[in-house]
Amino acid sequence: MPPLPFQPFSPDNDTHIFQSSGKRLTPIAALISLSLSFPIVAAQPPLMLAKSLPNEQLNAAHYSNDHQIHENFTLDDYLVSEKLDGIRAYWNGQQLLTKTGNIIHAPRWFYANFPSTPLDGELWIERGKFQALTRIVLDTEPNNEAWKQVNYMVFDLPHNSAPFSKRYSQLKALIKQQRDSNNRPLTHLQWIEHKSLDNLAILVQWLDIVSSHDGEGLMLHHKSNNYTSGRTAHLLKLKNHQDAEAIIIGYEEGNGKYQGMMGAIWVKTATNNTFKIGSGFNDQQRQSPPAIGSTIQYRHNGYTNNGIPRFARFIRIRDNPDS
């Protein structure tokens, strides 16, 4: 049998070879080294961040016509939108910034006719295109043709003091006003559609439809919420699954049709839980798996009694804190 393209892993050994350098690094050291390789070159934008709405709170209301989960949550108080699988982007009136403050090197034509008003949104292509988007957006030398696939999907006006329901109306009016040099609408500058829903059954049905078509989930924004920096309970994200990150610490050889290829990766989380992930990979990734020390995103459905993610599957490499 030809040599494996990777080094098999023993879960009893807690220090592993970092393939790209040959140096011994602990998983935490590997994560730090990856983060430091992307320096911040602008002030980090004061973004508003969402809290998670636990999916189990909806289970009892799955087929209900009710509109209230508990006394502090009434669906009528929120506007609901799809959660896009994109890259968060803050327009400060002059340039696009990532969530950590790095400048996004978009072509000049992409943002030349954006308003001077600050915007908050996501750079996005379509569902299932996150990896392609990452290659385009985080390239310091922008590819004009590739950027033609990208849209800036705006969901808020961060410097506007009005409650969200009014900000949303003003946001739509602002984007409709934007034109290119030939007085044509900017098709790559769009707002994310928000809807009012009548009951929780419709909310759950929408969530199931989005999830079944490779969507991320839903966002619920309280109509009276003001834009504030940091995490807030008035902006909620709802998913049918949970996403998390871990560092690759080793590999396990595959069996059967995956003989001679990677069958699973061993990972360690920030809480020092170690487990393996064997699903979610294509054949190319099994033949040439992500490097030891890489940070990955995985998806799971709750936890076992031992605190191990249940049904964990690989989603993508997170080789940049802005992705």
Side-chain angles (χ1 to χ4, degrees), residues 229-291:
S229 175
R231 209 165 292 280
T232 173
H234 294 299
L235 178 63
L236 302 171
K237 52 187 175 182
L238 177 62
K239 300 181 180 182
N240 270 335
H241 53 260
Q242 296 162 281
D243 290 338
E245 295 181 3
I247 296 173
I248 298 178
I249 57 175
Y251 311 104
E252 188 169 290
E253 184 182 354
N255 297 312
K257 68 177 182 178
Y258 297 133
Q259 185 76 32
M261 294 188 286
M262 179 269 290
I265 58 173
W266 281 89
V267 300
K268 177 174 281 190
T269 67
T271 56
N272 286 323
N273 281 332
T274 301
F275 57 95
K276 65 180 179 179
I277 299 175
S279 62
F281 302 97
N282 57 38
D283 288 349
Q284 181 179 358
Q285 290 166 332
R286 292 186 183 278
Q287 293 169 357
S288 182

Side-chain angles (χ1 to χ4, degrees), residues 7-8 26 37 46 49 73 98 133 143 170 180-181 197 224 251:
Q7 178 181 348
T26 66
S37 64
L49 304 174
F73 179 93
T98 68
L133 176 72
N143 182 313
Q170 293 171 18
D180 64 15
S181 57
L197 301 183
S224 64
Y251 311 104

Side-chain angles (χ1 to χ4, degrees), residues 9 11 18 40 43 60 78 91 98 138 145 150 155 180 192 196 208 217 229 231 235 238 273 281 283 285 308:
F9 166 67
F18 187 60
I40 293 177
Y78 290 81
W91 170 251
T98 68
L138 300 182
E145 285 301 313
V150 180
F155 49 71
D180 64 15
I192 296 179
S196 292
D208 289 341
S229 175
R231 209 165 292 280
L235 178 63
L238 177 62
N273 281 332
F281 302 97
D283 288 349
Q285 290 166 332
I308 301 301

Side-chain angles (χ1 to χ4, degrees), residues 6-299:
F6 51 84
Q7 178 181 348
F9 166 67
S10 170
D12 297 326
N13 181 9
D14 193 42
T15 302
H16 313 285
I17 302 298
F18 187 60
Q19 288 183 326
S20 64
S21 64
K23 297 179 181 179
R24 288 187 176 274
L25 291 178
T26 66
I28 296 301
L31 177 59
I32 292 173
S33 68
L34 286 170
S35 298
L36 291 178
S37 64
F38 300 97
I40 293 177
V41 294
Q44 185 168 336
L47 300 178
M48 182 161 57
L49 304 174
K51 288 189 175 183
S52 294
L53 177 62
N55 190 277
E56 56 267 20
Q57 291 188 356
L58 291 178
N59 288 343
H62 203 115
Y63 297 102
S64 171
N65 288 322
D66 197 4
H67 65 288
Q68 187 170 1
I69 294 178
H70 51 72
E71 60 182 8
N72 294 322
F73 179 93
T74 302
L75 186 58
D76 294 345
D77 293 336
Y78 290 81
L79 289 172
V80 185
S81 65
E82 180 176 345
K83 184 181 188 303
L84 301 184
D85 187 15
I87 292 178
R88 187 79 175 263
Y90 177 85
W91 170 251
N92 65 6
Q94 296 180 321
Q95 57 191 2
L96 285 165
L97 303 176
T98 68
K99 60 186 177 183
T100 59
N102 289 307
I103 294 175
I104 296 173
H105 299 277
R108 171 79 180 161
W109 61 263
F110 187 84
Y111 59 84
N113 295 291
F114 282 7
S116 58
T117 304
L119 306 172
D120 191 2
E122 298 258 340
L123 293 169
W124 188 67
I125 298 179
E126 61 181 55
R127 295 171 183 164
K129 294 288 188 178
F130 181 84
Q131 295 286 30
L133 176 72
T134 300
R135 289 192 296 269
I136 296 168
V137 171
L138 300 182
D139 192 345
T140 56
E141 297 182 2
N143 182 313
N144 276 303
E145 285 301 313
W147 268 91
K148 291 178 181 179
Q149 307 173 61
V150 180
N151 297 304
Y152 187 31
M153 309 295 294
V154 184
F155 49 71
D156 215 334
L157 298 171
H159 286 198
N160 190 312
S161 61
F164 180 67
S165 58
K166 292 185 178 179
R167 292 203 308 274
Y168 177 57
S169 296
Q170 293 171 18
L171 169 65
K172 292 193 293 183
L174 177 65
I175 292 180
K176 287 178 180 178
Q177 294 170 4
Q178 307 312 305
R179 295 288 189 273
D180 64 15
S181 57
N182 294 314
N183 200 33
R184 297 173 301 190
L186 300 182
T187 56
H188 62 282
L189 178 64
Q190 304 177 32
W191 69 85
I192 296 179
E193 190 71 34
H194 288 66
K195 300 179 181 179
S196 292
L197 301 183
D198 294 329
N199 56 61
L200 292 176
I202 296 176
L203 177 70
V204 174
Q205 183 180 38
W206 188 7
L207 175 64
D208 289 341
I209 291 172
V210 169
S211 300
S212 66
H213 289 83
D214 298 322
E216 276 282 285
L218 300 177
M219 299 294 296
L220 293 83
H221 202 151
H222 200 286
K223 295 175 182 177
S224 64
N225 186 39
N226 295 319
Y227 195 101
T228 55
S229 175
R231 209 165 292 280
T232 173
H234 294 299
L235 178 63
L236 302 171
K237 52 187 175 182
L238 177 62
K239 300 181 180 182
N240 270 335
H241 53 260
Q242 296 162 281
D243 290 338
E245 295 181 3
I247 296 173
I248 298 178
I249 57 175
Y251 311 104
E252 188 169 290
E253 184 182 354
N255 297 312
K257 68 177 182 178
Y258 297 133
Q259 185 76 32
M261 294 188 286
M262 179 269 290
I265 58 173
W266 281 89
V267 300
K268 177 174 281 190
T269 67
T271 56
N272 286 323
N273 281 332
T274 301
F275 57 95
K276 65 180 179 179
I277 299 175
S279 62
F281 302 97
N282 57 38
D283 288 349
Q284 181 179 358
Q285 290 166 332
R286 292 186 183 278
Q287 293 169 357
S288 182
I292 291 176
S294 299
T295 299
I296 66 149
Q297 180 181 350
Y298 64 93
R299 186 160 291 170

